[in-house]
Structures are given as C-alpha cells and as structure tokens.
Amino acid sequence: MKVYRIHVQGIVQAVGFRPFVYRIAHAHNLRGYVRNLGDAGVEIVVEGREEDIEAFIKDLYKKKPPLARIDKVEREEIPLQGFDRFYIEKSSTEKKGEGDSIIPPDIAICEDCLRELFNPTDKRYMYPFIVCTNCGPRFTIIEDLPYDRENTAMREFPMCEFCRSEYEDPLNRRYHAEPVACPTCGPSYRLYTSDGNEIIGDPLRKAAKLIDKGYIVAIKGIGGIHLACDATREDVVAELRKRIFRPQKPFAIMAKDLETVRTFAYISPEEEEELTSYRRPIVALKKKEPFPLPENLAPGLHTIGVMLPYAGTHYILFHWSKTPVYVMTSANFPGMPMIKDNEEAFEKLRDVADYLLLHNRRIPNRADDSVVRFVDGRRAVIRRSRGFVPLGIEIPFEYKGLAVGAELMNAFGVVKNGKVYPSQYIGDTSKIEVLEFMREAVRHFFKILRVDNLDLVVADLHPSYNTTKLGMEIAEEFGAEFLQVQHHYAHVASVMAEHNLEEVVGIALDGVGYGTDGKTWGGEVIYLSYEDVERLAHIEYYPLPGGDLASYYPLRALIGILSLNHDLEEVEKIIREFCPNAIKSLKYGETEFRVIMRQLSSGINVAYASSTGRVLDAFSVLLNVSYRRHYEGEPAMKLESFAYQGKNDLKLTAPIEGEEIKVSELFEEVLELMGKANPKDIAYSVHLALARAFAEVSVEKAKEFGAKTVVLGGGVGYNELIVKTIRKIVEGRGLRFLTTYEVPRGDNGINVGQAFLGGLYLEGYLNREDLSI
C-alpha cells in the first residue's frame, strides 16, 4: 500500500475537477480526499495499491473535464493514513500567495443546460440563470479565492433544498457549481419603464415583444448592461445611434443562430468554430452583397460584428421574439465604462433606453464582450475580455509585476510565476471614470492572484499618459522598481512573448506611440533580442499640424504629408481639387483650414510623426472615403473596406532611402493617378505598396542581423491586405513570419509586451537606456 500527496495546478477550480477526481478515485479503488487550496490549486491524497495510483494519475490527464487545464502536477509519498473511503474535503485557504491556480473565464451556456431550459418538465424551465459546472459566469461574479459560493456575488442567494441537494452530490453535474440556482432561490429579472416603474408580467417575454415593436431595451447580462433593439429596422438603429451619441461606430449584433448569420454574412469553418466556442466573442464577418440588413449597423465597412447567444437570457428572448437579429451593444457613452449596476442604469440610461430589463445579482467585475477577426485565415483578437479573462499568457521570466498597458484600448497585465494575466478590457484611460475602473480592477487582480508585493511596474514611455502616472503611484506604494518602455518595442515584444522567441526583426504598424526621440512613431522596423534593441527603419517623418487633432481630423495629416513635396499654395490647390469636402468636415470649416495652413508655415503646434495609421487616414481623405474619426481607427478601417472593392494592382511604390520609407513619394504617384484610375484600385494598391515596403526592408534587415523570424505587431495588424502581403513576401524569402493569435495585436495587448520587456530588464539582458532612450 502506498500514499501520495498530489498537488495539481492549472485551471482546476470551477470546472468540475473535484467531482471528477472523486469519480476516478472510486473507479480505481482508492481512498483519501481532494480539496481546493485557494490560489494554490488542488490537493489530492490517495491511498491504495501503487498500480491503482498510477492508473489514477493517467486518468487525471486523460479524462479531465473539458474546461480543465493541468499545468503542473507534483507528488510526494507520505506515511500511511488509514483512510476508510475517498471524499471531497472543504476548501482550504492555505498556501496563499505562492500558487498558480486561477478560475476559468465566463463560459457560454452548455448544451445540457440549454436542453433543460426548454424542457417544460424541468424545474429550471425558462429560468435565465440556469448553469452547471460546465458553464455560466465565473470571473464576473468572483470576489475572492477559493472559488466558493461565499466568495462570489451568489452568496446573497441562499440555496433551496433542491439546489443544495445537487450542489452537494459529487455525482451530479451541478456539484459545487457556485452560481447554481433555480426560480425558487436564485436571481430574477424585472422589467421597468425608463422612469423606474415596474411592468407586471413575464419580464423576458414582454421585453422580447417590446424589441419586436421597435423599442430600445437595456438588458443586464453577465458582465454588464447591453442596449438591444431590432437590428433589421434602419429607423430603430438610427434612433439608437442618436441617443447613445455614436454616429458611425459599428454596432455589434446578436443573431438567433448560425442559420440566421448565414443569411447576411460569410462564415469560414474557423469563424464558425470561434462563434460557437465557449467564449462566444463578437466575430467580425464579411458582409454578403447585397447586404440584407441596414447599412447603418456598420457604415462604410465590409465587415459586421456578430455574436451568438451565450446565456439563458438571450435564448429566452429569441424564443419569444419574432426578430432574429438584435443590436447588442455595450451600454456606455463614448469612452466611458460599460454600465453594470441597476442604480447607474436608471440614472444614465433614462434618455437612452425605453425599457430596462434588470436582474438583482451584482456584477463585481464588468467584462465587455470580446472581439475577434480572422486575418489571413488566422484568429486576431481585437478586444480580449469576456470568455478569455483571466487566463494567463506564459512568458519565460518569473517575477511579480504589473504592466499597466497603453492609454487607449487599455488592458493591464499582472505578472506572476512565469505568466502574464491580462485584465478585461478597460478602455480609454484618459477619461477619469475609466482610470478609476482600472484602479479597482488592478486591486481585484492583485486579490484573486494573491499578489501582495511587486518587483517591477512597467509603463509606456509617454510622460503624459494616465497609465504611466498610475504605474508610478503603484510602484511607489509597493516599493517596486518603475520602468518605462517604448510603445513599439512593446508591440514587437508581445509577439515574442506569445511565441517564446529570442530574436526577431519586428514590424510595428499602428496609430501613434511616443518615440525615444520625442517624436510620434507608428511605422517602424525594429530589431529586438535578448541582447539588443535597435530601430532599423521607419516611415519618413512628416508634420502633423495640431498634433493629436490630426487623429480626429485626418485632413491635417494629409496636408502635412503633402507639404513635404509641395509649397502651401500647391497643397491648398490639391485639396480643393481632389477632396474639397474634407475642408467642410473640419469643425470650423474654412476658418480652421486657414489656421492649419498658418500652423504649418509658422511651425507652431506642429508635431512630427512616422505613423502608419495617420498615413492610411490621409489616403482615406484624399480618396474621399472618410474625413473624420468618430471612433478609433475609423478612416483607416473604411479605407480598407473601400480597397476590398478594388482589383487592379497599379504597382505603386513607397521607395526606401536609407532608413526611411518615403510615403511622400507614394502620395505623388497617387496624385498622378487621380481622375485617371479607379479610386478603389488606388486604395487597393496603396495598401500593397506600403506592405511591400515594410516587407522588403524587414527581410533585408533580418538577413543583415542573422534573424530568422520577422514579426508584426500594432493595430494595423488587423488589416488583412497588409498582413497577407507582408507574410507572402517574408515567407517567399525563406524567413518565418509571425504575429499574435492569442494576444491582441493593438494596444489592448501591449501589456504582454511590456511584461516581456520587464523580464528582459530584470534578468539583466537589457537596461533602461535600451528600452527608453
């Protein structure tokens, strides 16, 4: 007879791991116990014949629950204990602080619960909060570890006898399913008018009928509150845009099922797999032409963001509704955090929603819907939130740290035991409300990850970012080192982190990032290894009159780029000839146009940039595609959609002179074609020209440095025309090409790169000067 203590780490809480262990222990005639160890994983003690114990351990790996992930198993032999049976012991909070166990993310409703939901004989028939061990909210309801009911928002709902009998039965699918509930004891919905009066009757059925009639309904879900309406009615969608102040930003839609999605969008097998995965993210799909839904769902774009139902609430609404497609967009005003609390909903949505469908379970942790797009056949995560968080990303460095991320599209990352744990989507931290949300979320991550000391806090190089200031505060509070790293180095490092690379030539293409020379970068070729970091090439600097204003009014970028080869009189003539409506789109029209020209002539309030994003924005203006940015990336995104309608490669070039990619020459070639070639072909060719230039210079530099891998990071990494072209050229020259498929390519994933660079710094590979000067 032998006795072993087995310590399992990974995703082993909230996934039915203990009842699974209980069952296989009984199957192998073993005695002992299993228990949760807070953040330290699961402890198993087994007593029996050695061959039975070995068979048990094989089954531990082979037959584990579908949502479980075993990262590490340690075992030690201990003296005989004399157990008379195998049992599940109450969770322990011992070993806090050194473990590496984490709960899984929020999981879409499973097929078993869905069958019960629509079974009239089931106790949970049409109960929107139906869950089991294999599905339901996790991250959004947890307040502390171990993941037990008393540490979640469900502690306010004492279980009835029926639910408790299932909860305590190791052979039941709901054994220790912490959100387990039924209509007798669990959370419930109520339907209200916008002024707070309750509507009597079945709240979900009535809400569905109201949506059918064209009303806008606020719906409280798992991670926050959505605004829903009939997505098939152009007038209703227009009214929602007006009320929520989103004139152009694409709305996410929720379709009843895959068959419905196929009526208006193309779905590849990979996209279908993602749409139906337990994550249930929003997936940007290519629209069918003609597009049968209102164009104002995603104006000027060739894609539409679609998700499928992921909670009982959604399935019940569609069951009662005649409308097969809803707008399902986060309930927040531009730049603000998603609303999650009932009181706030009544206060802020009074003039937005006609009705409010609210439940009485708190949401401790808001989580927006995740967003992905398939680029060149592979998944590209745009917004990593519900369904992903709080899963970690492995890095080859062990330290305790915080990477505070970027200013926009923010997510931070907590570093512990060789992993970065990226947060849910935080947003635009230039807004004080979002910054406060970030402060709260950081504290929560520290709590559930048992982080009570820090070695390092890593922030962006930009001196004015609120995230940089917050990082400095937290470093001071914990007595940790504080390190600032250049924005585009971090983008490249994010790819290195995901693929565990030690040497790359990286292409960083995005909007803006503060450069080591104080200028605005965004079109960079960078060598990064464990021993060195060096900027090798970049888009030529061009003036941005008004600085950051150019990101909102891209005519400013166009004027700046044209001024490299033309005097201001010629620039004005070009603008008035080819894109005169761009002047009218300025906030103050002709008056502002004159101010811009004076700024350039005097050099006052003029920044200098090498940004790819602003170059694409400028082409968007010149080709009369988009004159103003209402949401992040709008002009460039619309230019890509416009370019998809082009076919003819006009063989445009962006010449490379020394370390500079001469985009001003590319604009000259385009000016020669204006009025002669199809503007859609020009847009298509512009993308290819930029991609070719970056691919050529990166291949040349990779061979010069002996690097075998070229990587791409930054927000332009979601542009399929550019990514596909670069990949073909790089791989055609015998080098490996990689980008990220788990970590967001844009600023939402930059925390992972910051954490990676922090590890290089602490391990002594790179110093402060390497990373920021």
Side-chain angles (χ1 to χ4, degrees):
M1 299 290 287
K2 296 277 187 178
V3 184
Y4 285 97
R5 177 181 288 116
I6 302 168
H7 183 202
V8 184
Q9 290 181 295
I11 299 176
V12 290
Q13 294 190 38
V15 291
F17 195 78
R18 286 177 295 168
F20 155 70
V21 170
Y22 175 89
R23 289 193 296 272
I24 63 171
H26 276 274
H28 292 290
N29 302 308
L30 300 175
R31 298 171 299 283
Y33 66 84
V34 58
R35 66 171 174 167
N36 279 341
L37 290 175
D39 68 322
V42 166
E43 179 187 65
I44 306 167
V45 174
V46 285
E47 185 173 77
R49 297 189 308 164
E50 180 136 28
E51 56 266 37
D52 291 333
I53 293 174
E54 291 302 322
F56 166 84
I57 290 173
K58 283 182 182 176
D59 278 354
L60 201 64
Y61 284 99
K62 188 178 177 182
K63 298 179 180 178
K64 69 182 186 300
L67 297 174
R69 188 183 77 205
I70 296 175
D71 293 335
K72 190 177 182 182
V73 174
E74 297 174 321
R75 64 169 162 163
E76 60 173 331
E77 188 172 357
I78 60 174
L80 289 173
Q81 304 291 305
F83 295 109
D84 61 356
R85 63 190 173 91
F86 193 92
Y87 59 94
I88 298 172
E89 187 161 290
K90 184 174 170 53
S91 298
S92 168
T93 56
E94 295 173 11
K95 299 186 180 181
K96 286 186 179 181
E98 298 307 316
D100 189 29
S101 185
I102 190 70
I103 61 166
D106 301 290
I107 297 161
I109 186 171
C110 68
E111 291 299 321
D112 289 330
C113 284
L114 202 52
R115 276 192 293 272
E116 293 172 350
L117 182 66
F118 292 110
N119 179 1
T121 65
D122 194 277
K123 183 174 174 61
R124 297 184 180 87
Y125 172 62
M126 300 298 263
Y127 182 59
F129 300 93
I130 188 170
V131 297
C132 70
T133 310
N134 298 319
C135 66
R138 304 295 203 269
F139 171 74
T140 49
I141 63 171
I142 192 171
E143 296 181 289
D144 201 357
L145 285 179
Y147 179 68
D148 288 331
R149 195 178 181 96
E150 60 265 29
N151 290 328
T152 75
M154 288 301 297
R155 68 172 175 267
E156 293 152 20
F157 301 94
M159 283 180 279
C160 65
E161 273 189 44
F162 174 77
C163 287
R164 183 163 291 284
S165 68
E166 293 188 324
Y167 181 84
E168 293 179 347
D169 180 2
L171 300 179
N172 192 284
R173 198 174 90 248
R174 292 188 169 91
Y175 176 77
H176 275 264
E178 306 308 338
V180 69
C182 73
T184 302
C185 63
S188 59
Y189 272 103
R190 292 187 178 184
L191 181 64
Y192 302 91
T193 61
S194 60
D195 53 6
N197 293 317
E198 185 178 354
I199 296 175
I200 305 305
D202 183 335
L204 275 77
R205 184 174 187 172
K206 285 185 175 294
K209 299 305 179 185
L210 289 167
I211 291 172
D212 286 349
K213 290 178 181 177
Y215 291 105
I216 296 166
V217 179
I219 301 172
K220 186 176 181 182
I222 289 174
I225 296 174
H226 288 94
L227 292 169
C229 69
D230 184 346
T232 68
R233 289 182 53 176
E234 185 175 6
D235 59 331
V236 176
V237 175
E239 180 63 23
L240 177 57
R241 287 200 174 281
K242 180 181 173 183
R243 294 187 193 180
I244 203 69
F245 305 118
R246 293 186 202 159
Q248 290 288 315
K249 188 174 183 180
F251 281 143
I253 61 175
M254 179 178 282
K256 182 177 182 178
D257 49 35
L258 276 172
E259 288 66 35
T260 301
V261 179
R262 288 193 176 95
T263 65
F264 60 79
Y266 298 102
I267 314 173
S268 71
E270 295 79 13
E271 288 166 337
E272 179 176 334
E273 184 178 351
E274 191 69 27
L275 276 167
T276 57
S277 71
Y278 73 80
R279 294 177 292 273
R280 296 289 166 90
I282 299 166
V283 180
L285 301 174
K286 288 187 177 119
K287 296 175 180 175
K288 282 190 172 178
E289 294 295 342
F291 187 57
L293 297 177
E295 182 58 30
N296 63 349
L297 288 169
L301 299 178
H302 71 294
T303 58
I304 182 77
V306 185
M307 59 181 156
L308 292 174
Y310 56 82
T313 303
H314 305 137
Y315 282 98
I316 295 170
L317 286 168
F318 279 119
H319 173 80
W320 293 121
S321 183
K322 293 179 182 177
T323 304
V325 189
Y326 288 173
V327 169
M328 192 68 76
T329 189
S330 297
N332 64 284
F333 290 97
M336 293 291 107
M338 186 185 195
I339 295 168
K340 66 180 181 69
D341 299 320
N342 294 5
E343 297 77 12
E344 187 182 9
F346 283 122
E347 177 190 344
K348 294 184 177 177
L349 298 178
R350 177 181 295 271
D351 297 322
V352 177
D354 299 306
Y355 297 90
L356 296 92
L357 180 64
L358 305 175
H359 61 69
N360 57 345
R361 184 173 68 196
R362 289 184 302 108
I363 301 175
N365 309 301
R366 66 166 56 84
D368 286 83
D369 298 308
S370 295
V371 183
V372 306
R373 179 183 175 187
F374 279 75
V375 176
D376 197 17
R378 297 289 298 273
R379 185 178 73 182
V381 180
I382 298 172
R383 187 168 74 193
R384 189 182 188 274
S385 204
R386 178 190 53 76
F388 287 92
V389 176
L391 299 179
I393 306 290
E394 290 189 12
I395 59 172
F397 307 106
E398 296 216 4
Y399 69 97
K400 288 185 179 178
L402 172 68
V404 297
E407 185 86 335
L408 302 176
M409 292 288 293
N410 178 268
F412 60 84
V414 176
V415 187
K416 180 185 176 185
N417 292 349
K419 286 184 180 177
V420 189
Y421 293 93
S423 74
Q424 71 269 50
Y425 174 75
I426 302 295
D428 179 0
T429 54
S430 67
K431 305 280 197 308
I432 190 66
E433 295 89 344
V434 179
L435 190 65
E436 286 308 307
F437 166 35
M438 180 180 176
R439 287 180 191 274
E440 294 168 11
V442 167
R443 298 298 168 188
H444 180 66
F445 265 72
F446 284 170
K447 187 176 184 180
I448 64 171
L449 289 170
R450 301 292 191 244
V451 172
D452 52 15
N453 62 83
L454 295 173
D455 302 313
L456 181 69
V457 176
V458 190
D460 193 271
L461 187 60
H462 200 297
S464 300
Y465 277 1
N466 280 335
T467 50
T468 303
K469 296 170 186 174
L470 178 60
M472 292 175 73
E473 290 175 23
I474 294 173
E476 186 175 348
E477 176 189 344
F478 282 85
E481 281 196 76
F482 180 70
L483 176 69
Q484 290 177 262
V485 299
Q486 203 280 322
H487 189 87
H488 300 95
Y489 297 169
H491 272 312
V492 173
S494 292
V495 193
M496 295 178 72
E498 180 172 316
H499 298 285
N500 194 20
L501 304 171
E502 295 187 5
E503 180 187 44
V504 301
V505 166
I507 304 169
L509 307 179
D510 69 355
V512 295
Y514 190 79
T516 59
D517 56 2
K519 294 178 180 176
T520 300
W521 293 6
E524 317 301 317
V525 177
I526 294 161
Y527 173 78
L528 181 57
S529 72
Y530 277 35
E531 297 178 355
D532 190 23
V533 57
E534 187 177 338
R535 187 190 193 201
L536 305 177
H538 58 88
I539 284 176
E540 63 180 317
Y541 285 125
Y542 53 85
L544 284 180
D548 286 345
L549 278 174
S551 66
Y552 295 96
Y553 298 95
L555 175 60
R556 291 172 175 269
L558 175 60
I559 291 169
I561 295 170
L562 292 176
S563 73
L564 294 177
N565 284 342
H566 300 271
D567 61 38
L568 294 184
E569 188 176 323
E570 291 174 325
V571 170
E572 179 173 354
K573 184 179 178 182
I574 291 168
I575 300 299
R576 292 193 184 279
E577 179 180 356
F578 296 120
C579 50
N581 287 333
I583 298 173
K584 298 175 186 175
S585 74
L586 294 170
K587 188 173 183 180
Y588 300 106
E590 284 285 346
T591 302
E592 186 172 344
F593 181 63
R594 290 293 167 204
V595 170
I596 295 169
M597 303 303 270
R598 283 199 296 273
Q599 283 177 324
L600 265 181
S601 64
S602 65
I604 297 172
N605 193 22
V606 175
Y608 284 84
S610 60
S611 162
T612 310
R614 296 297 86 82
V615 168
L616 293 169
D617 289 354
F619 275 118
S620 194
V621 173
L622 183 60
L623 296 172
N624 295 290
V625 175
S626 177
Y627 304 126
R628 187 173 174 185
R629 190 197 89 179
H630 299 90
Y631 58 89
E632 185 69 22
E634 178 186 357
M637 288 168 62
K638 288 184 173 178
L639 182 70
E640 182 192 4
S641 292
F642 188 69
Y644 263 104
Q645 301 172 56
K647 297 177 182 177
N648 186 22
D649 182 2
L650 303 173
K651 303 298 181 185
L652 301 177
T653 58
I656 301 162
E657 294 183 10
E659 296 181 355
E660 291 188 338
I661 296 170
K662 307 292 281 188
V663 294
S664 60
E665 298 303 317
L666 178 58
F667 273 86
E668 292 306 300
E669 291 185 21
V670 169
L671 289 175
E672 287 293 320
L673 291 170
M674 293 293 284
K676 301 173 186 174
N678 185 330
K680 295 172 182 177
D681 289 342
I682 295 175
Y684 177 73
S685 302
V686 160
H687 284 82
L688 302 189
L690 285 169
R692 283 193 288 259
F694 277 104
E696 293 291 346
V697 73
S698 62
V699 166
E700 177 190 329
K701 296 298 183 181
K703 291 184 176 178
E704 181 182 324
F705 278 76
K708 293 180 169 34
T709 304
V710 172
V711 303
L712 186 148
V716 180
Y718 300 117
N719 185 303
E720 186 163 32
L721 288 173
I722 288 176
V723 172
K724 186 184 289 189
T725 303
I726 291 175
R727 177 186 60 78
K728 283 183 178 178
I729 293 172
V730 169
E731 291 179 349
R733 303 293 178 83
L735 297 173
R736 183 165 59 155
F737 174 77
L738 291 170
T739 181
T740 57
Y741 311 109
E742 298 289 336
V743 177
R745 298 175 189 182
D747 283 4
N748 191 234
I750 208 167
N751 65 86
V752 175
Q754 290 175 342
F756 186 88
L757 293 176
L760 287 176
Y761 166 74
L762 286 178
E763 294 286 336
Y765 291 108
L766 297 174
N767 58 39
R768 290 178 182 274
E769 289 72 25
D770 293 324
L771 298 170
S772 60
I773 295 178

